[in-house]
Amino acid sequence: MKLCHLFLCALSQLALVAAQSTFTPARPPAIPLAVKSPYLSTWINAGSDGGNGGYLAGEWPVFWSNQITGWAGLIRVDGTTYTWMGSPGPQAVTQTAFQYTSTKSIFTMDVGGKVEMNITFLSPITPNDFKRQSLVFSYLHVDVTSADGKAHDVQLYADITAEWISGDRSNIAQWDYGQAGGVAYHRVYRQTQQLFSEVNDQSEYGYWYWSTDQVNGLTYQAGPSTDARNTFESNGTLPNSKDTNYRAISDNWPVFAFAVDLGSVNESPSSTLFSIGLTQDEAVQFAGSDGYDPVPSLWKSYFETDLAAVEFFHKDYSTSSQLSTNLDNQIAQDAIAAAGQDYLTVASLSVRQAFGATQLCGTPNATYLFLKEISSDGNVNTVDVIFPAHPVFLYTNPILLKLLLDPLYENQESGKYPNTYSMHDLGAHYPNATGYPAGNDEEMPLEECGDMVIMTLAYALRSKDTAYLSQHYAKLEQWTSYLIDDSLYPANQISTDDFAGALANQTNLALKGMIAIKAMSVISSLTGNEGDSKNYSSTAEEYITQWQTLGVAHDANPPHSTLSYGSNSSHGLLYNLYADKELDLNFVPSWVYDMQSKFYPTVENKYGVPLDTRHTYTKADWEVFTASIASKSTQQMFLKDLATWINETPTNRPLTDLYDTETGK
Ligand SMILES: *[C@@H]1O[C@H](CO)[C@@H](O)[C@H](O)[C@H]1NC(C)=O
Ligand SMILES: *[C@@H]1O[C@H](CO)[C@@H](O)[C@H](O)[C@H]1NC(C)=O
Ligand SMILES: *[C@@H]1O[C@H](CO)[C@@H](O)[C@H](O)[C@H]1NC(C)=O
Ligand SMILES: *[C@@H]1O[C@H](CO)[C@@H](O)[C@H](O)[C@H]1NC(C)=O
Ligand SMILES: *[C@@H]1O[C@H](CO)[C@@H](O)[C@H](O)[C@H]1NC(C)=O
Ligand SMILES: *[C@@H]1O[C@H](CO)[C@@H](O)[C@H](O)[C@H]1NC(C)=O
Ligand SMILES: *[C@@H]1O[C@H](CO)[C@@H](O)[C@H](O)[C@H]1NC(C)=O
């Protein structure tokens, strides 16, 4: 007989009740579930300000802007029903592990000690395969095995609500059910389609497909949530019925459910695949060179019908999963080699999110990548939002950067924008890339002219595409002439950090302008304009010489660059120095790099270095830009603080680029 000490017994029982999941490599503020485009963006809140700590069961998945996109998962084991996703009612499974890669979120669940589940959410990324990348779809793959060596009778259930189809729950949903080539699907959509419209950032048109394999033992129901979930709980099947009382999303909540009878489950995995996605024939309206046109979703060029796309995507899981695993592995290897695990923790969480702000549109002959400025104001292809994201596109496929810049060039080169400096964005709200014929976009002239010149050269160098530089030479010259006028003593204006307010003589902004003028001298030289090249180069050299006095607090201890000229006690992240290294210009003297690397650790807070002396908040993107050009030890400091923040922040929304370095909020 084994006697157990009272205290230890109590402890082990507590541990059973409050079993904690592991989180590898970190517990993100929100866990990406289906994150593929501005409109397919569903997460589970994790941070303690409203999230449940990173558990798939027990709270509802949400759209990025925080309204629920109902997604429920149940599993019935030997007649007892448990919840594995969402909050539909039955007791939750015990989550034992969570892991993320660049494309996957994987949960491991213990179901009453009887069976184990691996639940994989895969939002595929195929940067070099536009047919696949153009599809606005995501996978949910569930593996079940016996956990105790015995066979168990198992049924699996998953549903979506109509909350996916509109941001207004009083809108009327319509739906149907069918099969295509062995794929069973629920199709759900707004009865009144509103082309190019949004409510609460959700799209108000197109068709949502929620699919699984047409296997033996599959049953379905489209009907009230309580009916479908209760029927499954009591019986393990669904009645293969379709409610045709089309009604408001919140009116007796219609759900679209599948149940799969896995039968007797033993130690070999029993797998079920679901997929979810959106088809829209027309994705964006764009004011391009031909006028004002609706632009199709790119997948329309590869598939005759929605159903052909749905069927292809669903059956493509093994290939798609392998391609994504290859990308995951490549990013893991390169990130570790570049800067270690903390960098991988940050980078792998960012990749899906960066790609998930974009959609491939147009045709193979005229392809565009449109990007939504998510969580601020919805602007389209914002130049200074492409800028912090551009390294991930350069790294995965530089053509993607070109496809982001192309529509900006096309609009401005066809005379649709009146200002001499670069436009800030291509349209006030996605998916309307309709430009600013009156020139009344947000005015951020130095920032955007600098970004356009720098990113254009970055693309051309990576792709060895000097023809692109020749094609846009006139526009690049026009923007550079603005930089020549404004970079030495920048006028009172906002930078990309517009929330921090306007300021004259911003040291970091001036540096961007000067680096861009130097970059223009390279562009001139690559395109055979040697005279221009010499002129730009000498202007840039003259400016940077003055900047070294104007923008540096030499007498400070330790010395550092200032936030603005002459404010010797001010400082900020000198993130624009990044472009000097990125473009291999060797323009800014190395002592500036060394000075900044020594300085940042002296102003480090718990979760990083503040953006500047005006506030305690920082920008995660600019911290990584700064880290990438810092000394090894300062680089590691930045990355460690950011990875710690990811793990500890109480915020419960997708990875932000703006947070407080003291509180982590
Ligand atoms: C879940 O994944 C782990 C790690 O790959 C594996 O060891 C385990 O057998 C899997 N369990 C199921 C249910 O597939
Ligand atoms: C886009 O423009 C159309 C008019 O062409 C308008 O109905 C729609 O509301 C706009 N969409 C957004 C998100 O502003
Ligand atoms: C319960 O499930 C059985 C099959 O397992 C099925 O024949 C029966 O119709 C179901 N009953 C209801 C009420 O759905
Ligand atoms: C697309 O480009 C190819 C090759 O340049 C050309 O043959 C084809 O006619 C173009 N198609 C359209 C629709 O413009
Ligand atoms: C910018 O700095 C220069 C040199 O310190 C100064 O002369 C000028 O007044 C400043 N401009 C503004 C708008 O403060
Ligand atoms: C150099 O650039 C300046 C400023 O744009 C211009 O005024 C000047 O004419 C240029 N000189 C040459 C030799 O191109
Ligand atoms: C700032 O420091 C520089 C040298 O580091 C000095 O020349 C300048 O006078 C100082 N400015 C102010 C306002 O103290």
Side-chain angles (χ1 to χ4, degrees):
M1 186 180 153
K2 222 162 124 191
L3 277 176
C4 109
H5 189 277
L6 204 59
F7 173 71
L8 286 179
C9 278
L11 259 190
S12 66
Q13 264 164 15
L14 252 184
L16 269 180
V17 173
Q20 295 282 308
S21 176
T22 56
F23 292 91
T24 311
R27 185 240 52 191
I31 293 174
L33 299 182
V35 176
K36 182 65 185 180
S37 83
Y39 298 136
L40 178 56
S41 186
T42 281
W43 306 72
I44 195 102
N45 289 338
S48 57
D49 278 357
N52 71 6
Y55 291 81
L56 184 62
E59 75 178 329
W60 288 113
V62 292
F63 191 67
W64 69 257
S65 51
N66 215 31
Q67 59 270 27
I68 292 170
T69 38
W71 207 358
L74 301 173
I75 186 165
R76 200 164 174 270
V77 179
D78 301 330
T80 304
T81 302
Y82 303 79
T83 297
W84 53 269
M85 174 164 58
S87 192
Q91 63 186 300
V93 299
T94 302
Q95 182 175 317
T96 56
F98 168 75
Q99 187 198 347
Y100 69 79
T101 67
S102 295
T103 62
K104 303 186 196 89
S105 294
I106 307 165
F107 298 84
T108 302
M109 309 297 199
D110 167 41
V111 189
K114 293 180 171 176
V115 302
E116 179 180 81
M117 306 174 76
N118 279 345
I119 301 163
T120 302
F121 293 86
L122 167 63
S123 296
I125 300 176
T126 55
N128 293 286
D129 178 338
F130 285 6
K131 176 180 176 179
R132 289 186 165 86
Q133 185 62 29
S134 69
L135 290 164
V136 181
F137 282 83
S138 192
Y139 297 105
L140 162 56
H141 185 263
V142 183
D143 270 337
V144 183
T145 60
S146 169
D148 61 4
K150 297 181 190 141
H152 297 282
D153 186 38
V154 179
Q155 293 86 38
L156 190 71
Y157 170 102
D159 73 39
I160 63 164
T161 65
E163 288 160 298
W164 292 71
I165 67 156
S166 165
D168 177 350
R169 279 39 174 149
S170 68
N171 280 329
I172 309 291
Q174 190 163 329
W175 52 84
D176 47 48
Y177 183 84
Q179 289 170 37
V183 178
Y185 65 87
H186 288 282
R187 185 167 76 135
V188 194
Y189 52 99
R190 254 197 79 168
Q191 194 172 61
T192 308
Q193 298 267 303
Q194 264 182 6
L195 199 59
F196 306 126
S197 293
E198 288 185 355
V199 175
N200 292 329
D201 285 285
Q202 285 187 253
S203 186
E204 299 294 310
Y205 70 103
Y207 298 86
W208 287 88
Y209 288 87
W210 165 233
S211 310
T212 193
D213 294 291
Q214 178 61 53
V215 292
N216 283 336
L218 176 72
T219 53
Y220 73 91
Q221 184 173 2
S225 57
T226 45
D227 283 13
R229 294 168 189 162
N230 291 345
T231 305
F232 176 78
E233 188 172 359
S234 59
N235 199 47
T237 65
L238 294 169
N240 290 333
S241 68
K242 197 192 119 189
D243 168 348
T244 52
N245 173 23
Y246 305 129
R247 57 187 182 276
I249 292 164
S250 61
D251 178 0
N252 211 3
W253 301 97
V255 299
F256 309 94
F258 291 115
V260 184
D261 185 5
L262 302 179
S264 176
V265 167
N266 55 30
E267 276 161 348
S268 60
S270 187
S271 302
T272 306
L273 179 67
F274 302 96
S275 57
I276 184 149
L278 171 65
T279 63
Q280 293 177 322
D281 288 354
E282 290 168 341
V284 163
Q285 359 188 29
F286 172 46
S289 55
D290 303 339
Y292 188 86
D293 277 328
V295 183
S297 300
L298 184 63
W299 64 264
K300 293 284 292 175
S301 295
Y302 299 105
F303 301 97
E304 292 284 330
T305 61
D306 287 21
L307 279 180
V310 170
E311 190 185 328
F312 171 83
F313 181 82
H314 193 84
K315 291 179 173 170
D316 193 43
Y317 181 70
S318 63
T319 306
S320 184
S321 173
Q322 189 56 55
L323 292 170
S324 292
T325 300
N326 295 347
L327 182 69
D328 289 347
N329 292 343
Q330 180 199 324
I331 289 171
Q333 273 170 27
D334 289 349
I336 295 276
Q341 177 58 50
D342 287 332
Y343 182 47
L344 178 57
T345 299
V346 176
S348 55
L349 188 58
S350 312
V351 175
R352 222 175 328 184
Q353 192 166 333
F355 275 86
T358 69
Q359 187 181 355
L360 280 168
C361 299
T363 62
N365 280 10
T367 307
Y368 302 100
L369 189 63
F370 287 106
L371 176 147
K372 180 174 178 180
E373 183 173 341
I374 285 181
S375 92
S376 49
D377 55 15
N379 286 178
V380 186
N381 286 40
T382 309
V383 174
D384 62 287
V385 172
I386 297 173
F387 187 70
H390 86 276
V392 80
F393 301 117
L394 274 187
Y395 168 78
T396 52
N397 179 2
I399 298 294
L400 294 169
L401 177 56
K402 174 183 180 292
L403 299 183
L404 283 163
L405 301 180
D406 280 347
L408 289 157
Y409 276 117
E410 190 178 325
N411 177 276
Q412 291 172 90
E413 285 170 347
S414 57
K416 295 192 168 63
Y417 183 71
N419 300 323
T420 55
Y421 51 80
S422 162
M423 70 195 323
H424 169 269
D425 64 85
L426 203 46
H429 207 105
Y430 198 90
N432 293 336
T434 45
Y436 294 92
N440 56 343
D441 52 332
E442 186 175 6
E443 200 178 332
M444 213 176 269
L446 205 170
E447 187 84 60
E448 312 305 26
C449 289
D451 284 349
M452 287 303 293
V453 174
I454 289 165
M455 291 194 290
T456 300
L457 180 57
Y459 157 71
L461 291 176
R462 271 273 175 158
S463 295
K464 305 200 173 13
D465 183 1
T466 49
Y468 196 68
L469 302 175
S470 301
Q471 187 189 345
H472 300 299
Y473 196 71
K475 204 40 94 179
L476 290 162
E477 278 200 292
Q478 178 191 320
W479 292 330
T480 305
S481 105
Y482 185 90
L483 294 173
I484 289 170
D485 290 345
D486 199 50
S487 295
L488 185 56
Y489 295 110
N492 185 31
Q493 64 193 290
I494 51 173
S495 76
T496 181
D497 308 311
D498 50 4
F499 44 85
L503 193 65
N505 283 331
Q506 293 184 56
T507 303
N508 182 49
L509 194 55
L511 183 63
K512 169 167 283 175
M514 295 171 190
I515 290 173
I517 298 167
K518 182 70 182 181
M520 188 64 197
S521 79
V522 175
I523 293 172
S524 298
S525 167
L526 288 171
T527 52
N529 297 292
E530 288 302 339
D532 291 353
S533 177
K534 287 206 180 67
N535 196 341
Y536 290 130
S537 184
S538 63
T539 304
E541 297 294 348
E542 188 193 307
Y543 284 7
I544 197 68
T545 303
Q546 296 185 62
W547 180 92
Q548 291 169 57
T549 306
L550 290 167
V552 177
H554 289 277
D555 299 339
N557 183 21
H560 54 80
S561 67
T562 57
L563 172 60
S564 62
Y565 295 168
S567 302
N568 287 352
S569 59
S570 73
H571 56 78
L573 295 175
L574 195 67
Y575 55 84
N576 284 325
L577 195 51
Y578 174 84
D580 181 41
K581 271 275 186 285
E582 177 188 26
L583 302 174
D584 214 6
L585 297 175
N586 286 314
F587 172 59
V588 183
S590 61
W591 67 259
V592 174
Y593 289 83
D594 296 340
M595 170 180 72
Q596 292 302 104
S597 291
K598 290 196 181 95
F599 171 69
Y600 295 127
T602 68
V603 287
E604 179 197 18
N605 285 337
K606 183 168 182 206
Y607 295 117
V609 174
L611 176 64
D612 61 53
T613 25
R614 289 172 289 183
H615 306 92
T616 56
Y617 57 57
T618 194
K619 292 287 311 304
D621 44 7
W622 303 143
E623 286 196 294
V624 179
F625 271 52
T626 307
S628 75
I629 53 167
S631 67
K632 204 72 200 170
S633 64
T634 297
Q635 175 179 97
Q636 292 299 306
M637 174 199 78
F638 273 112
L639 296 171
K640 177 174 169 293
D641 290 348
L642 188 51
T644 305
W645 175 80
I646 285 173
N647 233 337
E648 295 181 4
T649 176
T651 61
N652 68 343
R653 306 289 281 280
L655 181 59
T656 184
D657 60 356
L658 177 62
Y659 69 89
D660 191 281
T661 55
E662 287 173 345
T663 63
K665 296 215 173 197

